[in-house]
Amino acid sequence: MASISPDDPWRPTASWEALCHRAQVLRQLREFFYREGFVEVETPLLCREVVVEAHLDPLSLTLFAHPSRADQGPRYFLQCSPELGMKRLLAAGAKAIFQITRAFRAGEQGPWHNVEFTMLEWYRAGDTQEQALGRLSRLVAQVLHTPGAQVVSYREVFRHHVGVNPWHASAGELRQAVRRLGLGEPAGHWPEDDPEPWRQWLFAQAVQPRLGWERPVIVFGFPPSEAALAQLCGNPPVAQRFELFVQGVELANGYHELTDPEELRRRLEQENHKRRRLGKPPLPLPQKFLALHQAGLPDSWGVALGVDRLVALSCQAQRLEEVIAFPTPRA
Amino acid sequence: MATYHTSEFRKGLKIQLDGEPYLMIECNFVKPGKGNALYKCKLRNLIRNTVIDRTWRGGETVEAADVEEVRAQYLYRQSDKFVFMDLKNYEEYELSKDQMDDAWKFLKEGMECTLLLFNGQPISVTPPNHVVLEVTYAEPGVRGDTATNVTKTVELETGAQITCPAFVEKGDKIKIDTRTGRYIERVK
């Protein structure tokens, strides 16, 4: 028999044991949602429109009709998440839906990122905050065999690990905290007047690595500038959004979904404004998405969870490629 | 001027920061789901050998360093200057004692080595991994003491001092690993 190097590019990067384990986790996830009364749905990966986000870059292609004119046809996107299709179903009357699907994000490749990844996303109309958090906590505890999640507020956890109030700290104060905590020096362009990138740096490097070692941690209530498509409430306003962390890995992201069509348009435009400031081309406003909000999106909570990361955490893998057969660089 | 985009960042990249060349020795990609990508890098200054941490936001570009390695011969020392010759075009280069770092300890006239040029100017030299040098001074060894775990300090023809086994004597030729500065063996 010819000798085979484990580095032959045709070979999977994940072991067969890891892939069998992955199949078990997928099965567990489906069974969980069937038991909870959710219906599994499928929405297109190839979409005419995407939700505009400053820091998510969708891949796109030309939907040509004939290969001799491959550059002629409408531009379609590979979805960054199934949010758009699933909200269309909710607005059309669906009550509790889940989907396990592929999502694509340009440029996101690293030990805990793969450009093409598997996402579990679910929505339930009429959920309360407790119901939404409780379901996520049960799901993760079941798959990872951990106690239920601890819920902490963004403000508290940030203050605890960074030592400043994330709501009121200026860019200058946050920059000082970066230095004080020994996170290294900024290089390139870091705005002096905008606290948001500094706050994200501190959260990613000083807070997140410490979260979820004894049990999963749900961080609740994000700054309004990071609301994405979550509702704001309270005074000062807090985004009704949460993230779940296990062993320093961001695993899931949940929103009390924004329903107001005017506010939605404003936020999408704001994201395009941020994109321009970051030197990225703006994305077209998603017209069908705006229209479904005009028609009426029921009050709901939606949660997205990175399945590859969940599988990796459940078998003590150090990198996603240990649980993905053919990661994008080898696809 | 060539530049690198953050998406091209990887270990081994040579970049220029504040006018000095750096080697990227580590690069970590951090991306919060809803936030900007961060590239957290460890960089080694190719002139001073110091290591620094720098974090970029995704989407930035950084200047590439014009760094080149050339094969050269060490010619001679003139007070605090060390003179080298490029083996391809016979061009002469000078390094100061500071720029030599520890390399002066291992280089003797005529030896081949690798010079690192930044914007065409020499910034450092790497001697061969192994060199053979003559011992020019050693305390006489105690007779019969051949155990290798007994050491002493001797002086080499370059003027450097090195720790070696007690049996090494003046006039011996010894082989040294220049990466660690350690004695390897006596050469007959």
Side-chain angles (χ1 to χ4, degrees):
Chain A
M1 206 169 93
S3 75
I4 299 169
S5 149
D7 284 333
D8 277 340
W10 63 266
R11 298 182 69 83
T13 55
S15 68
W16 181 243
E17 291 71 27
L19 295 175
C20 290
H21 176 74
R22 183 183 176 101
Q24 287 301 319
V25 172
L26 283 171
R27 179 182 175 152
Q28 241 182 319
L29 294 174
R30 286 205 163 84
E31 283 172 353
F32 179 89
F33 283 98
Y34 296 151
R35 269 202 310 278
E36 300 259 330
F38 281 66
V39 175
E40 181 166 7
V41 297
E42 292 179 297
T43 56
L45 273 62
L46 206 51
C47 304
R48 193 77 179 90
E49 49 187 52
V50 284
V51 178
V52 182
E53 296 199 44
H55 302 299
L56 290 189
D57 297 304
L59 294 162
S60 66
L61 51 80
T62 303
L63 203 72
F64 60 80
H66 192 274
S68 65
R69 293 185 212 163
D71 57 346
Q72 286 174 34
R75 181 188 185 201
Y76 271 65
F77 298 97
L78 288 169
Q79 66 177 3
C80 289
S81 87
E83 177 168 10
L84 217 140
M86 294 183 81
K87 284 186 173 171
R88 284 166 77 178
L89 289 174
L90 284 175
K95 297 280 184 254
I97 51 177
F98 81 99
Q99 175 162 208
I100 295 175
T101 187
R102 291 297 172 87
F104 303 81
R105 294 178 180 181
E108 301 197 8
Q109 196 72 46
W112 289 91
H113 291 84
N114 196 45
V115 166
E116 175 181 0
F117 63 104
T118 302
M119 191 174 230
L120 162 64
E121 189 153 320
W122 67 92
Y123 293 85
R124 190 161 178 273
D127 254 359
T128 62
Q129 181 182 313
E130 287 67 33
Q131 284 173 314
L133 292 174
R135 184 175 300 107
L136 173 62
S137 176
R138 282 201 305 284
L139 174 67
V140 171
Q142 195 176 73
V143 175
L144 298 180
H145 308 289
T146 59
Q150 177 195 3
V151 181
V152 295
S153 80
Y154 181 99
R155 195 192 306 249
E156 273 314 307
V157 82
F158 194 95
R159 196 151 51 188
H160 181 73
H161 291 290
V162 178
V164 298
N165 183 325
W167 258 250
H168 302 123
S170 65
E173 288 170 282
L174 294 167
R175 184 190 183 127
Q176 271 180 5
V178 165
R179 187 163 299 158
R180 178 165 46 77
L181 295 168
L183 299 185
E185 288 288 311
H189 176 70
W190 284 80
E192 294 296 334
D193 53 344
D194 181 6
E196 186 180 325
W198 299 95
R199 194 169 53 222
Q200 287 180 356
W201 184 5
L202 283 159
F203 191 87
Q205 296 278 280
V207 182
Q208 183 176 329
R210 302 200 165 83
L211 299 179
W213 291 91
E214 280 159 30
R215 56 200 287 198
V217 167
I218 293 176
V219 176
F220 185 86
F222 277 67
S225 61
E226 289 165 52
L229 298 187
Q231 291 194 19
L232 294 178
C233 88
N235 189 20
V238 173
Q240 302 283 291
R241 172 157 101 75
F242 60 81
E243 285 186 358
L244 178 121
F245 299 91
V246 175
Q247 294 174 22
V249 175
E250 178 190 336
L251 195 54
N253 205 317
Y255 301 163
H256 186 195
E257 299 295 347
L258 182 66
T259 54
D260 176 356
E262 292 317 309
E263 173 68 6
L264 174 67
R265 179 182 288 274
R266 204 186 57 75
R267 291 211 199 155
L268 295 175
E269 281 167 354
Q270 198 177 16
E271 290 298 304
N272 259 338
H273 178 67
K274 281 192 205 167
R275 288 184 69 86
R276 282 193 206 92
R277 276 183 43 163
L278 293 167
K280 298 176 175 186
L283 290 163
L285 285 188
Q287 297 304 330
K288 290 190 276 282
F289 191 56
L290 285 162
L292 82 84
H293 286 76
Q294 293 284 357
L297 180 69
D299 191 72
S300 62
W301 282 80
V303 183
L305 180 148
V307 173
D308 310 286
R309 291 183 182 177
L310 180 68
V311 175
L313 288 167
S314 70
C315 63
Q316 287 80 48
Q318 301 301 308
R319 312 167 64 87
L320 291 189
E321 63 185 39
E322 293 175 40
V323 298
I324 298 176
F326 306 113
T328 305
R330 203 179 261 210
Chain B
M1 179 63 77
T3 57
Y4 293 115
H5 189 261
T6 47
S7 58
E8 298 172 278
F9 278 16
R10 60 178 194 288
K11 222 157 88 173
L13 220 60
K14 288 174 183 129
I15 62 164
Q16 188 174 322
L17 274 186
D18 306 324
E20 296 195 333
Y22 287 86
L23 175 70
M24 196 171 280
I25 52 178
E26 211 179 272
C27 176
N28 294 301
F29 173 68
V30 181
K31 170 83 171 69
K34 297 291 168 189
N36 208 343
L38 297 176
Y39 291 83
K40 194 176 158 54
C41 305
K42 269 199 187 356
L43 306 166
R44 196 172 77 228
N45 186 307
L46 291 173
I47 296 176
R48 285 177 275 112
N49 240 352
T50 47
V51 174
I52 58 170
D53 272 321
R54 285 291 181 279
T55 298
W56 277 267
R57 300 203 296 157
E60 299 267 338
T61 53
V62 61
E63 258 180 56
D66 174 13
V67 172
E68 181 194 4
E69 281 185 348
V70 298
R71 295 293 301 154
Q73 188 178 39
Y74 170 50
L75 296 181
Y76 57 88
R77 176 175 180 172
Q78 195 170 45
S79 66
D80 263 1
K81 293 268 179 242
F82 293 76
V83 183
F84 298 84
M85 181 182 68
D86 186 326
L87 286 170
K88 256 208 193 110
N89 57 17
Y90 310 114
E91 193 148 331
E92 284 191 12
Y93 293 111
E94 282 183 5
L95 281 179
S96 68
K97 185 131 192 280
D98 278 351
Q99 289 175 313
M100 288 294 287
D101 202 12
D102 275 348
W104 67 272
K105 293 181 180 173
F106 311 115
L107 280 179
K108 81 175 179 187
E109 294 178 3
M111 242 181 215
E112 274 191 32
C113 50
T114 307
L115 270 185
L116 195 63
L117 306 184
F118 172 53
N119 293 333
Q121 296 297 314
I123 54 171
S124 70
V125 61
T126 311
N129 290 345
H130 299 117
V131 294
V132 175
L133 293 170
E134 190 178 324
V135 175
T136 51
Y137 177 77
E139 296 283 348
V142 180
R143 226 181 144 69
D145 189 358
T146 53
T148 48
N149 58 348
V150 180
T151 61
K152 65 179 178 186
T153 302
V154 301
E155 195 171 302
L156 303 172
E157 57 185 306
T158 58
Q161 296 197 327
I162 184 173
T163 303
C164 59
F167 58 74
V168 172
E169 289 170 7
K170 182 178 171 187
D172 280 350
K173 292 198 159 146
I174 61 171
K175 193 185 210 181
I176 299 159
D177 187 325
T178 63
R179 294 161 295 186
T180 57
R182 289 225 178 98
Y183 164 93
I184 301 173
E185 61 184 356
R186 192 159 52 167
V187 181
K188 296 245 164 64

